Amino acid sequence: MKTERLDKITKRFLEKGLEQMVVCDPCSVFYLTGKMINPGERMLALYINKESSKNRIFINELFTVNEDLGVKKVWFDDNSDPAMLLSEYTDKNKLLGIDKKFEARFLLRLMECGGASGYVNASECVDIVRQQKDTDEIKLMCEASRINDLAMGEIIKRISFGVAEEEIASQMIEIYKSFGAEGYSFEPLVGFGESAAIGHYEGGARTLTEGDCVLIDVGCVKDGYCSDMTRTFFFKSVSDEHRKVYEIVKKAQQAAIDMIKPGVRFCDIDKAARDIISQAGYGGRFTHRLGHFIGIECHEFGDVSAKNESIVKPNMIFSIEPGIYLEGDVGVRIEDLVLVTETKAEVLNNFTKELSIIG
Ligand SMILES: [Mn+2]
């Protein structure tokens, strides 16, 4: 077990009036044990008690986990009743914190078995701790972003007349693997021209004409940690209006990055970028939140949006990704990951944001 991480989580649930909780999100189990177990439909549960000698991890025998995870393993098979088994280890007369990813069928069964005196959603005890990365995680996040920079440089060499969006998207995996990454952190988003104005467009058969924008939003996973970056290029030439839109998005992104430091509210960072886009007359065309947290998962708990009034803390890593989308015409988004230091935001991506004509 990663004891420093475990201690922070235990402190959080104690503050909530809890003495025990069940963690079952495989990413949170990985965060705490260093072992990624994808249980599919089987139950995976890491039971944590304030008395650490009571901690247990419940794993189906189908999964090979030979290593010592620093917590006692309780094995079960497909003929057993894993939630009932779990109820034999919980403190029945006390509240039990529950991970939001614990499947209802297991939780309901645990309740039938009288596993606790009450059940509380305690996911935030883990999710909030995961927002602030430790030294090991920061190193891994920097490396994933370094690979993403290299991959972006490689993919744009392949943009030319006749190449379809989906061909570009499908080449990302091989590029990432050539740089030592395990795979995608999400399906690559590649949009040319008006396709780029469609939210979460994954690429189709469209090919390029001169003057099209080329939006590439991609990320990889390296040693369990994610990267995520977007760049928007122009093919062969750029119109004056598209150049103007690009420069507004770039300015909005920089304004947001410049104000990041511990103590600033996320909603104010979102507003800084949004105000610049609105004042330029494109307010209604920036249709999503400014950013999201990232780490073991590409989208983790917490975001940079008008509704998040919480404050920035050191060692948080999140994306800053404003965009302007003009339906039937163009989409521009510029996205970087930032690491919060004691005084400012350090940008993890080094790929240029100067307007670039490619092809
Ligand atoms: Mn993103």
Side-chain angles (χ1 to χ4, degrees):
M1 293 279 266
K2 313 261 183 189
T3 45
E4 268 179 48
R5 298 178 188 174
L6 177 65
D7 289 348
K8 286 182 201 161
I9 291 165
T10 306
K11 188 167 165 266
R12 289 223 164 238
F13 70 64
L14 286 171
E15 280 166 11
K16 247 177 121 76
L18 294 167
E19 295 182 10
Q20 53 177 352
M21 92 169 274
V22 172
V23 176
C24 55
D25 180 341
C27 293
S28 295
V29 173
F30 170 72
Y31 179 70
L32 281 165
T33 65
K35 178 74 182 176
M36 182 61 90
I37 303 163
N38 289 308
E41 79 278 22
R42 271 91 181 188
M43 191 186 88
L44 172 70
L46 174 61
Y47 171 72
I48 310 172
N49 193 289
K50 69 165 184 177
E51 288 171 51
S52 62
S53 62
K54 292 185 176 175
N55 294 352
R56 294 288 185 279
I57 185 163
F58 296 78
I59 318 171
N60 190 300
E61 284 171 0
L62 282 174
F63 305 104
T64 309
V65 185
N66 294 323
E67 54 270 69
D68 178 8
L69 301 180
V71 54
K72 285 186 184 150
K73 295 167 194 153
V74 180
W75 295 100
F76 58 89
D77 62 21
D78 282 350
N79 295 318
S80 42
D81 181 342
M84 188 174 82
L85 188 62
L86 172 59
S87 76
E88 291 167 16
Y89 289 81
T90 50
D91 283 341
K92 286 165 195 56
N93 53 356
K94 291 190 177 140
L95 291 173
L96 180 63
I98 298 290
D99 187 322
K100 62 182 184 289
K101 297 269 175 84
F102 200 38
E103 285 189 38
R105 62 201 173 100
F106 296 129
L107 176 58
L108 292 166
R109 180 67 183 137
L110 181 65
M111 292 164 93
E112 277 173 7
C113 297
S117 65
Y119 305 83
V120 179
N121 180 355
S123 291
E124 287 196 7
C125 300
V126 183
D127 294 342
I128 289 178
V129 171
R130 275 175 56 184
Q131 287 185 331
Q132 282 176 284
K133 271 57 183 173
D134 57 33
T135 318
D136 292 346
E137 293 185 290
I138 290 169
K139 242 202 230 156
L140 295 170
M141 293 291 290
C142 288
E143 179 59 11
S145 280
R146 190 186 70 83
I147 292 174
N148 212 17
D149 286 342
L150 293 172
M152 187 66 81
E154 188 53 40
I155 197 68
I156 60 169
K157 291 183 196 159
R158 305 181 186 199
I159 306 266
S160 61
F161 277 121
V163 177
E165 298 160 328
E166 59 197 4
E167 289 174 63
I168 294 298
S170 68
Q171 288 175 28
M172 287 308 299
I173 191 76
E174 158 229 323
I175 293 175
Y176 280 136
K177 292 203 165 164
S178 76
F179 289 121
E182 291 123 59
Y184 302 141
S185 54
F186 60 96
E187 285 293 318
L189 309 178
V190 177
F192 299 161
E194 75 288 341
S195 299
I198 303 168
H200 264 262
Y201 177 80
E202 287 184 5
R206 193 192 188 286
T207 55
L208 283 159
T209 7
E210 184 175 333
D212 279 340
C213 71
V214 175
L215 186 151
I216 302 177
D217 183 352
V218 287
C220 64
V221 181
K222 168 68 176 166
D223 295 329
Y225 281 79
C226 296
S227 59
D228 185 5
M229 171 173 65
T230 309
R231 289 293 181 268
T232 307
F233 307 95
F234 291 90
F235 185 64
K236 306 280 185 197
S237 67
V238 61
S239 71
D240 289 344
E241 201 209 353
H242 291 178
R243 179 184 292 277
K244 184 183 142 203
V245 165
Y246 187 90
E247 294 302 334
I248 295 162
V249 173
K250 183 166 159 246
K251 192 176 158 200
Q253 200 224 19
Q254 196 58 51
I257 292 171
D258 287 345
M259 72 175 290
I260 298 170
K261 61 178 178 188
V264 172
R265 297 190 305 171
F266 286 100
C267 53
D268 295 328
I269 301 169
D270 181 274
K271 187 171 185 301
R274 209 166 292 278
D275 281 352
I276 286 171
I277 290 174
S278 296
Q279 283 154 18
Y282 293 98
R285 310 302 181 96
F286 175 19
T287 46
H288 51 78
R289 63 188 180 188
L290 183 63
H292 57 86
F293 278 75
I294 180 166
I296 301 164
E297 290 167 283
C298 188
H299 287 197
E300 295 199 339
F301 177 77
D303 64 14
V304 190
S305 71
K307 67 172 173 19
N308 187 357
E309 294 179 355
S310 63
I311 59 163
V312 171
K313 292 179 190 154
N315 300 330
M316 285 179 161
I317 294 180
F318 47 85
S319 71
I320 295 292
E321 48 180 307
I324 294 178
Y325 310 96
L326 306 181
E327 203 188 325
D329 180 14
V330 72
V332 173
R333 179 165 66 255
I334 303 173
E335 171 182 24
D336 288 311
L337 299 188
V338 300
L339 161 68
V340 182
T341 69
E342 294 298 328
T343 53
K344 64 181 174 71
E346 198 179 293
V347 179
L348 299 188
N349 297 101
N350 289 305
F351 198 93
T352 186
K353 290 182 266 189
E354 291 306 309
L355 189 148
S356 308
I357 311 280
I358 58 168

